[in-house]
Amino acid sequence: MSASLLEKAPILRTLRPDRRDWYVIAICGALSLGAGIGLYLNSRSHGPGSGERVGTLIVRRNIAQRKYGSQAIWEALEDEVPIYNNDSIRTGDYSLAEIVLNDQTRIKVDENTMIVVSVGDRTNINFAYGSLQADRGAAGGGEVTIQSANQTVSVGSSDVQLARRDDQQALDVTVRSGQATVASADGQAQSLGAGQRATVSQGGAIEVRPIPFQLQNPPAGASFFVNEGGASLRFEWQGVSGEATLEVSQRRNFLRPDLRLSSSAGNAAASLGAGNYYWRIAARNVQNGQLEYSEVRRFSVLRNAPVRLQAPAAGRVFQYSAEAPFVNFAWSANDQAQEYVLEIAHDASFTNLVRSKNSPLTGLSLPVSAGDYYWRVRSLGRDEASNTSSAAQSFRVLRSERAPPPQPAQPTEGRNIPQAVASRGIVFTWRQSAELRETTLQISRSESFADLAASAAVHGSFTRLSQPLPPGAYFWRLRGRDAGGLETEFSSVARFAISAGGALRTQLPAEGAELSLDEIRADGCLFQWQRTEGGGRYVLRLSRSRDMRAPREESVSGASLRLNDLGEGQWYYQVALTDADEEILRSEVVAFRITDVPAAPEILAPAPDQNVNLADRDGLHLRWTAVRNATYYDVTLTQLGRRPRPALRTRVNGLEFQAPPSPELLSGDYSLSVRACRTAARNACSAEAVRRFQLSAPEELPPPEFISPPTQYVVPE
C-alpha cells in the first residue's frame, strides 16, 4: 500500500503501528515468553519444598502414582523414577511397586496402598492404608519409623510386614526377621521378635502372638519365569499337625482365591499362569482348636517368552551395487527386558560374531555389507534368570553390477478398483533402492507387455496415474535407473483390475445385527467400511427407513465412525465416497436394530472343554463378566447326553456362583449358559453365553460335617 493511499485513508493509516505500539508489542511478547518458560520449568521441577532425592521407585506391575509434597496432582509412573522428600506414593488394583531408599531400605508397596516418604534426621514412613513390607536387612544407620494413624512401628535391621485391615481400624504387624517395636497412642509399647505377630486396635490395645505356622517355599518376593502356559510350583510349610489348607490369590485379601488345596503332608503342588500372587495356609491350632492363618507371602509368575524376530524375514535377500544397504531389524517386546542385544554372525552358532549392538528399543537399522548372515536378539532383564535369547534367522546381502529393481507395493496384487475411483487417478507405490534416481512405470493389458496402456518416468517411489483406463485386467512393472544411467532389471509383475460400476463394502454393523442400547450409550455404535483406493471423504447416512428418507449425514476422512446417540429401534445406514461434493461410490443399504436388552456376558470359568475334578475342589466354581445395568444373571447347567438333563437353574446377583458337590453333579459332559437380565416392566434378558466342559465327580460324596454347635443333642420323639 502506497503512502499516498494511506494519506487518503485515515482509517487504514491507523492500522500501521507506530514506535509506541512496537514498545507494547515487545513488552507483551516478553511477558508471554517469561510466563511460558515459568510454566515449563514448573512442570519439569518436582516442586519447592519437595527436598532432595531420597530414593528410587520401581514399578513392578501396572502403574503407581506419585504426588510431590508441594503439589496436588497425581502423576502415573510405569518405570524406574527418583522420589523426593515428602513424596506421596499410591498403587491401584493389581499394582505392585518397590521403593529403594538411599540407605538401601527396601519398601515393597502392595496394591491399593498409599504412603508418604519423609527423610530427615531419621526416616519416617506415613502409612495411610493397604499393605507393605519394609526390609532393613541390608540398610545401615538408625531405625525407620512407620506411622499409621495413631500407631507407630519402629524397625531396625528387620524384615517387617504391615497391613491395615479392611475396617481401617486395626493394624497388623508381622516380624519375619529381626526385631520391631509397636506403640499405640496411649503409650503402650511392645517389642516383637522374629516369628511374632501383633494386632494394634484403634483403642490402643496390643495383642502379640506367635506366628503358628512357618512358610518355607516359595520365598517372599520370588519370581518364576515361564515361556508359555503355567509354572509348576511347590508350596512347603512347617508347624502344622494334621491337615492344612493352602490358599493362593491375586488379591491380598483372599476374597476370591485362585487356588485352594488341602494337604496333611506339609506341601502341595500346583500350576499357575502368569500373574502376581499371594499365598498363605490355614489350619486348626491343636491347643485351642481355632482356625489360624500363617503370614502372607507374595510371589510372581512372569511371562518371559523370547522375542519374536519380525524383520528381516527369514531368508530375505538384499541387493546393492555401490553402497552397502541399511538393514532394518525389528522384533517383538519382552515385558521383563530392560535392554536388548542384537547379534549378527556368519554362522548359526554365533561363534563368528560380526556385530553386537545394545538397544533399549525393539528395532535397529545398521549397514550390512555383502555376505550370508544369521541374527538373533537377546533380552536382558533385571537378573540373569530373566535373560532370554530368540531363535536365529538368516538373511543374505548380495552385491551386483546393477542396483536391484524396484518392487511393486500398491495397488496390491489382484486388487479390484471400481472405475469411478480409477477415473480420479490410481496411486502406484513401490519399494526401491536409495541408489536409484529415476523409475519407469509400465502398465499393459498383456502379461508380456507387448503393448503398453500407460507409461511414466518418476523421480521417487510413487505416482498418481491420471490417464483414464477402461475396465479390464491390467499388469504393471517397474524399472529403475541409477545416477550413472545404468538400468536395473524389470521388477516382478503385479496385477490389478478395473471394474465397471462397483460399490463400497460395509463391514459393521452387519446386515440384521442386533445391538444393545446399554452398550451403545456407553461405548458407541461402531460403523466401519472398506477403504477404497485414491482417498476422498466418506459420508455416513442414517435413516429410520430403508429408502433413506431424511437421512442424518456424518462426513469423515477415515473408514470408520463411532456414534453413541442412537436410540432404540430399527435403523438403516449407507456409506458414500465423495470428492468435492460429488458422489463417486455408494454402498448398499444395511439394516440393523438397537434393542433395550442387555449384552451377553462372557463366561470366564470353567475354561472351554476343561475337565473339572470335584474331588480336588469344594465345588464347581462358575464365573462370568459383568454386563452394564444387569440386575441379575440367569444361570443354567445342563448335563449333556442322549437325553440332556438339567442339573442346575438359578438366579445370581453377582458375577460368580459356587455349586457345592451334590448328587445332581455327576461325571459327564456339561453345558453352562449364562444370560444377563434386567428387571423392568418386563424381564429383558440377553442372548445366552454358552460354554461346554467336562465334570469328574467322586463316586461317593463325603459325609456332612457338623461345624456348629460343637455339642449335638438328640431329642427323642
Side-chain angles (χ1 to χ4, degrees):
M1 184 178 290
S2 65
S4 60
L5 180 59
L6 286 174
E7 292 173 358
K8 295 177 182 179
I11 296 178
L12 292 176
R13 189 172 61 249
T14 60
L15 298 178
R16 184 174 64 185
D18 57 18
R19 181 177 298 176
R20 288 174 298 177
D21 295 327
W22 286 116
Y23 287 153
V24 173
I25 293 172
I27 292 171
C28 291
L31 290 174
S32 299
L33 179 62
I37 293 174
L39 288 172
Y40 173 78
L41 293 177
N42 181 68
S43 68
R44 300 294 294 175
S45 70
H46 57 267
S50 291
E52 74 283 359
R53 174 174 174 169
V54 297
T56 302
L57 173 69
I58 305 170
V59 180
R60 300 293 189 189
R61 177 178 60 173
N62 291 345
I63 62 172
Q65 291 182 313
R66 182 258 304 281
K67 180 172 72 67
Y68 296 121
S70 59
Q71 297 182 359
I73 299 176
W74 291 91
E75 61 173 330
L77 309 171
E78 298 185 24
D79 207 344
E80 187 171 313
V81 296
I83 60 171
Y84 301 90
N85 206 14
N86 298 318
D87 280 0
S88 299
I89 307 296
R90 71 181 182 185
T91 56
D93 286 344
Y94 301 103
S95 295
L96 191 64
E98 183 174 1
I99 297 171
V100 182
L101 298 179
N102 291 343
D103 66 357
Q104 297 306 304
T105 297
R106 307 183 79 89
I107 302 171
K108 297 178 182 178
V109 185
D110 291 335
E111 62 175 354
N112 297 315
T113 300
M114 176 177 168
I115 66 172
V116 180
V117 182
S118 300
V119 178
D121 295 335
R122 61 187 302 170
T123 301
N124 183 74
I125 306 297
N126 193 324
F127 174 40
Y129 56 82
S131 60
L132 61 85
Q133 176 187 347
D135 186 356
R136 294 266 299 161
E143 294 182 335
V144 169
T145 300
I146 303 176
Q147 187 78 29
S148 182
N150 57 358
Q151 301 137 351
T152 304
V153 180
S154 300
V155 181
S157 298
S158 309
D159 185 352
V160 177
Q161 285 185 338
L162 287 85
R164 182 163 287 284
R165 292 181 176 176
D166 294 339
D167 58 12
Q168 299 295 303
Q169 299 296 319
L171 176 69
D172 287 335
V173 182
T174 302
V175 179
R176 299 168 58 186
S177 65
Q179 291 185 332
T181 302
V182 180
S184 59
D186 61 0
Q188 293 189 56
Q190 290 278 354
S191 294
L192 303 179
Q196 287 188 307
R197 171 186 294 167
T199 300
V200 187
S201 68
Q202 187 71 14
I206 302 176
E207 179 188 355
V208 179
R209 59 194 183 281
I211 301 175
F213 321 120
Q214 293 78 47
L215 305 183
Q216 293 188 306
N217 284 308
S223 295
F224 302 91
F225 299 99
V226 293
N227 186 337
E228 58 183 18
S232 296
L233 304 178
R234 185 175 180 82
F235 298 87
E236 298 177 347
W237 57 88
Q238 285 184 341
V240 178
S241 297
E243 189 175 75
T245 300
L246 166 69
E247 292 183 341
V248 181
S249 175
Q250 295 192 59
R251 306 299 295 268
R252 190 182 180 92
N253 56 20
F254 290 88
L255 289 179
R256 294 182 182 176
D258 294 83
L259 177 69
R260 183 183 284 120
L261 295 175
S262 295
S263 172
S264 57
N267 61 74
S271 179
L272 293 170
N276 290 273
Y277 297 93
Y278 300 91
W279 75 286
R280 69 182 182 185
I281 62 168
R284 296 285 177 183
N285 189 311
V286 294
Q287 296 180 351
N288 55 27
Q290 293 183 351
L291 184 66
E292 295 187 356
Y293 292 92
S294 69
E295 62 171 304
V296 176
R297 285 189 180 180
R298 180 183 61 240
F299 67 93
S300 301
V301 178
L302 304 174
R303 187 80 62 199
N304 195 32
V307 302
R308 298 186 306 277
L309 303 184
Q310 296 173 339
R316 173 81 184 273
V317 177
F318 299 87
Q319 293 179 287
Y320 73 101
S321 61
E323 297 182 2
F326 273 82
V327 177
N328 294 320
F329 297 90
W331 54 90
S332 64
N334 178 291
D335 292 339
Q336 312 308 322
Q338 293 187 307
E339 192 176 33
Y340 302 96
V341 181
L342 168 65
E343 294 181 337
I344 306 173
H346 283 303
D347 60 312
S349 60
F350 288 83
T351 55
N352 187 8
L353 203 62
V354 175
R355 190 76 181 270
S356 178
K357 184 73 173 178
N358 290 45
S359 172
L361 307 176
T362 58
L364 279 174
S365 183
L366 300 173
V368 183
S369 58
D372 293 325
Y373 298 97
Y374 293 87
W375 71 290
R376 69 182 180 187
V377 175
R378 293 191 295 113
S379 305
L380 304 182
R382 298 184 184 275
D383 49 54
E384 189 173 349
S386 62
N387 295 346
T388 64
S389 179
S390 73
Q393 276 186 188
S394 64
F395 68 95
R396 173 177 291 182
V397 180
L398 297 178
R399 183 173 184 178
S400 59
E401 294 298 325
R402 292 189 291 182
Q407 292 301 317
Q410 296 286 344
T412 54
E413 174 66 17
R415 187 66 182 268
N416 194 323
I417 305 173
Q419 186 178 21
V421 175
S423 64
R424 300 170 57 241
I426 304 174
V427 176
F428 292 84
T429 66
W430 54 88
R431 297 181 297 273
Q432 67 179 33
S433 168
E435 300 176 50
L436 299 182
R437 297 294 178 265
E438 184 182 82
T439 301
T440 299
L441 165 68
Q442 294 183 350
I443 304 172
S444 175
R445 298 294 295 266
S446 66
E447 195 170 3
S448 64
F449 287 82
D451 59 325
L452 296 181
S455 179
V458 181
H459 296 282
S461 58
F462 69 93
T463 187
R464 178 188 288 272
L465 182 69
S466 57
Q467 176 181 337
L469 297 175
Y474 290 89
F475 302 87
W476 66 292
R477 67 182 182 181
L478 304 155
R479 191 173 201 174
R481 185 191 304 271
D482 64 17
L486 187 64
E487 289 186 325
T488 69
E489 300 286 347
F490 278 109
S491 71
S492 58
V493 177
R495 297 171 297 177
F496 69 93
I498 297 176
S499 59
L504 280 175
R505 284 190 290 176
T506 59
Q507 295 172 334
L508 293 175
E511 173 70 32
E514 287 201 1
L515 309 178
S516 168
L517 181 62
D518 288 338
E519 297 297 321
I520 288 176
R521 286 172 176 171
D523 302 324
C525 179
L526 176 62
F527 294 88
Q528 190 170 298
W529 51 91
Q530 188 176 51
R531 185 185 293 273
T532 59
E533 297 278 355
R537 291 193 67 82
Y538 299 93
V539 176
L540 171 68
R541 300 182 180 127
L542 282 163
S543 176
R544 290 288 193 174
S545 61
R546 185 173 285 277
D547 59 5
M548 303 300 292
R549 291 194 305 271
R552 168 185 172 179
E553 295 189 348
E554 302 285 347
S555 178
V556 294
S557 58
S560 64
L561 180 65
R562 193 179 292 272
L563 300 175
N564 56 8
D565 58 349
L566 302 182
E568 184 181 4
Q570 185 70 38
W571 286 92
Y572 302 88
Y573 79 98
Q574 182 184 61
V575 182
L577 175 66
T578 63
D579 185 22
D581 296 329
E582 177 187 357
E583 184 176 298
I584 302 169
L585 287 176
R586 70 169 60 176
S587 72
E588 300 291 336
V589 175
V590 179
F592 67 98
R593 177 178 292 276
I594 299 176
T595 62
D596 190 17
V597 172
E602 178 185 353
I603 296 176
L604 300 177
D609 299 319
Q610 179 183 355
N611 192 335
V612 181
N613 190 347
L614 287 184
D616 299 333
R617 298 170 178 258
D618 294 336
L620 178 60
H621 191 195
L622 312 176
R623 290 193 297 125
W624 50 88
T625 58
V627 174
R628 288 186 179 90
N629 298 328
T631 308
Y632 64 91
Y633 297 87
D634 186 13
V635 180
T636 303
L637 189 64
T638 304
Q639 184 178 12
L640 304 177
R642 294 178 60 185
R643 298 180 62 183
R645 179 185 65 85
L648 173 70
R649 180 72 183 270
T650 185
R651 289 186 177 184
V652 182
N653 293 327
L655 302 178
E656 59 184 342
F657 180 77
Q658 186 87 6
S662 72
E664 296 297 321
L665 296 179
L666 305 176
S667 296
D669 294 333
Y670 282 81
S671 173
L672 169 67
S673 68
V674 182
R675 297 189 304 165
C677 299
R678 183 172 56 240
T679 303
R682 57 183 175 84
N683 287 341
C685 293
S686 71
E688 290 184 338
V690 180
R691 173 70 48 82
R692 292 190 61 169
F693 65 97
Q694 292 82 43
L695 193 63
S696 297
E699 295 182 2
E700 293 185 4
L701 294 175
E705 177 185 355
F706 289 107
I707 298 177
S708 177
T711 303
Q712 309 294 325
Y713 298 93
V714 178
V715 180
E717 296 183 356

